[in-house]
Structure formats: structure tokens, C-alpha cells
Amino acid sequence: MRPVMIPEPILETRVFAPATVANVACGYDVLGFAIDSPGDEVVVRHSNKPGLRITTITGDHGKLPKDPEKNTAGVAALDFLRHLGMLDRGIEMEIHKKMPFGSGLGSSAASSVAGVYAVNRLIGEPLTKKQLLPFAMAGEASADGAWHADNVAPCLLGGIVFIRSNEELDIAQIPVPKNLWAAVVHPDIEILTKVAREILPQDIPLANATQQIGNLGGLLCGLIQEDYGLISRSIHDVIAEPRRQKLIPEFYKAKRAALSAGALGFSISGAGPSVFALCEGEQSARKVGDAIAKVFADVPLSHQIHVSQINPRGVHVIDEKINA
Ligand code: HSE
């Protein structure tokens, strides 16, 4: 008897995975949020040829490998298909990079999340977003060699995500105050996450640990209680920022400019070179973004400004072809 073929309802899907700000000053490797744009796009469709194939990559300046075993989005998708016992499934993937590498905007996390989310969607969503987290993590880890969910988790789920344990992937979404905005400015230099991690101390003085824990607790309470004063008093990083600031031209000048323009707080986005400020309201965020940008323009250093509310959606479908 011939097997009954059930037509696939989704023929092709295009997904968007947003940029993210990791660490959020005092939450090194344990706190991150998503912004509205930029973000990467991945398209997947069924294929008669067995296995996952990356057919097209744009926006990468020829830097990314098409071998799925070596590509962040490919590794995440393969890990997921392996888990389901579906490595033979014929799938074509296109990757459209819309943000720079080594930018501190969670570029590799976005590709990884987009890759696994798109394939999950194409095959009928056997797993929830949260269940996709370990596969997206594997994709990102293949790029920077480290295991931290502070870009991947907010990119996948949206909002502000706190990670109690990266090993156990024990995460919690934190409520977002209504009027919280971010100004993120990317100066056109590249910092490899690996390098920015290597310059951090392995041991930190107890006094610094105490201060950082106080600030992280304060920031979480401030977000939950919509207490902008507490948020502002808590956005300080005494561990990574003092070491990494030297990789970013005029970092402290940009920080002073942001705070004078009314930012609640300012620090490095992820491993840098992007910097971010949290602000109360859109108008304030635009003013702060312009003030930071002026510092980079004076260097002179080309840059891009991204002003955004905290993105509540994370990765999502932007276009789809359905079997009629
Ligand atoms: N938490 C990571 C770091 C983010 O700061 O190294 C890198 O994307």
C-alpha cells in the first residue's frame, strides 16, 4: 500500500529575528532585551533533495560559509532536525544578513534563532519557541565559542529576559515598563566577542561582586515596579565595562553625553562596539541617540542609530507561502 502523502501546509516561510542588547550593564551573560530593528531574515522552503542546504547568503560580504555544519543558522537548524530524527528532510535555506558582524547587536544570535525558528515553522511547529532555545544556543556557540543566552533568549522570545542559569537554561521574562525606550548606537568598528571576553578578569574582588549583584537586583526590581529612578541608579557595570571601554573610541565622552541628554543609564551593548542607553519615552531616546551619535561623528567615526521600544515579540514570520 502506498503511504498517504499529507500536503505540507506551509511551502515557504520568511522570518525576522531582531537585534538584541546583552548584559544591560550589570547583567553580564544573564540579562538581555530585544529591539525592533535591525534584524536578520531567513527564508526556508521544502526541497526534493534530502538534507538541509544553504542556497543563498546576502549581506555578509562573502564572510559566511554555505556549509550548514559551519554556519550559525545551519548549525542551529541541523541540531534541531537531528533532535527530531529528521536530518534527511529536504530543506533549502536563504540567509539575509541585515546587521554587521562583531557589532554587539547579537548578529550571530539573530541568524541562529532565525534559522531554527524558520525550520520549526516550515515543518508544522513541533516545538514551542522556548523549546527551541538549546538549538539556537548551539548555533550561536558555534560562532563565538561561549555558552550564554543573553542574546539568543530575548531574540527568540522578545522583551527583557533574565537568565538564572546558562547551563540549565533557566530563564524568566521580566515585565517591561510601558515607556521604556532604548537608544542604541553602532560605531563602524568590529569587535570580536571572543576577544572582548578574553580581556575580562577571571576573578573579581568581593566588593565589585557585591556592587554588581546590588545593581542587577535593583535593575530587575526597577523594571518590575516601573521605578525609573531605581532603574537609573542600577545601570552600572563594574565588571566588564571598565575593561571593554578601551575598545570603543570616546566611550566615556559618549557616556557623559548620553547622561547629560537625559538617559537613565548607558553602557556597552553586549561585547560592543555598540553602546546603548535606556530612556524614559521616545523623545528622550531620540535626543540621547543623537547626543551619542555626535560624539562618534566628531571622532570621526561613521555610525548607525537605532531608537526602539523594547521589542515584545522576538523572532516572527514576516511572509509565508501556504499550500492552497
Ligand atoms: N554576554 C556576552 C558578552 C554577550 O558580553 O560577552 C556577547 O554577545
Side-chain angles (χ1 to χ4, degrees):
M1 210 167 74
R2 287 172 60 188
V4 180
M5 297 300 285
I6 302 165
E8 296 282 353
I10 296 172
L11 300 174
E12 178 182 302
T13 189
R14 175 183 286 262
V15 310
F16 169 86
T20 44
V21 171
N23 301 335
V24 201
C26 46
Y28 177 72
D29 276 0
V30 299
L31 192 64
F33 63 80
I35 59 174
D36 287 338
S37 70
D40 284 348
E41 291 176 20
V42 163
V43 181
V44 290
R45 64 183 71 85
H46 301 286
S47 158
N48 292 331
K49 280 197 194 163
L52 176 72
R53 278 180 312 128
I54 300 176
T55 54
T56 309
I57 306 181
T58 64
D60 69 326
H61 307 286
K63 286 188 186 171
L64 291 182
K66 279 196 183 152
D67 178 351
E69 306 267 6
K70 298 193 177 121
N71 176 296
T72 319
V75 169
L78 286 177
D79 215 39
F80 164 69
L81 289 166
R82 191 174 298 115
H83 169 82
L84 297 177
M86 293 173 71
L87 275 177
D88 278 349
R89 183 60 90 97
I91 296 173
E92 272 180 22
M93 177 182 277
E94 292 175 15
I95 301 168
H96 302 286
K97 292 296 297 175
K98 307 249 168 152
M99 57 177 137
F101 300 101
S103 59
L105 295 169
S107 172
S108 48
S111 291
S112 179
V113 164
V116 70
Y117 180 79
V119 172
N120 185 54
R121 175 81 186 164
L122 187 73
I123 62 171
E125 297 192 309
L127 297 192
T128 63
K129 270 189 170 186
K130 207 169 167 184
Q131 288 170 328
L132 296 178
L133 185 57
F135 310 111
M137 290 283 289
E140 206 211 355
S142 74
D144 79 2
W147 188 259
H148 51 90
D150 51 343
N151 292 111
V152 164
C155 180
L156 194 56
L157 304 173
I160 304 178
V161 182
F162 171 64
I163 300 119
R164 185 200 63 81
S165 163
N166 278 298
E167 288 68 33
E168 296 167 38
L169 288 180
D170 186 3
I171 65 169
Q173 277 188 294
I174 306 297
V176 179
K178 276 189 299 295
N179 216 13
L180 190 67
W181 283 71
V184 181
V185 184
H186 170 244
D188 276 333
I189 53 173
E190 190 176 314
I191 295 179
L192 294 177
T193 301
K194 197 170 173 295
V195 172
R197 293 179 81 81
E198 277 165 8
I199 61 172
L200 297 184
Q202 286 310 303
D203 300 299
I204 50 169
L206 183 60
N208 284 4
T210 310
Q211 225 180 325
Q212 196 90 350
I213 294 165
N215 282 326
L216 179 59
L219 178 54
L220 296 179
C221 290
L223 292 168
I224 293 164
Q225 296 168 1
E226 293 211 26
D227 181 338
Y228 290 99
L230 183 53
I231 292 172
S232 182
R233 296 196 297 284
S234 306
I235 303 176
H236 299 290
D237 172 13
V238 296
I239 295 176
E241 183 184 297
R243 312 285 169 130
R244 289 176 167 178
Q245 54 78 23
K246 54 179 171 286
L247 304 174
I248 303 167
E250 299 291 13
F251 176 82
Y252 284 122
K253 204 168 168 193
K255 182 167 189 161
R256 281 194 301 277
L259 296 175
S260 324
L264 297 168
F266 172 97
S267 192
I268 302 169
S269 174
S274 291
V275 292
F276 79 97
L278 284 178
C279 301
E280 187 175 355
E282 178 176 2
Q283 217 187 341
S284 171
R286 295 208 179 275
K287 188 173 162 200
V288 167
D290 288 345
I292 299 168
K294 184 169 183 317
V295 173
F296 291 134
D298 286 347
V299 171
L301 199 51
S302 58
H303 54 272
Q304 300 84 42
I305 311 173
H306 307 287
V307 172
S308 168
Q309 264 185 306
I310 310 302
N311 172 345
R313 279 177 94 182
V315 65
H316 58 273
V317 172
I318 50 172
D319 197 15
E320 215 152 65
K321 291 195 180 110
I322 311 282
N323 210 345

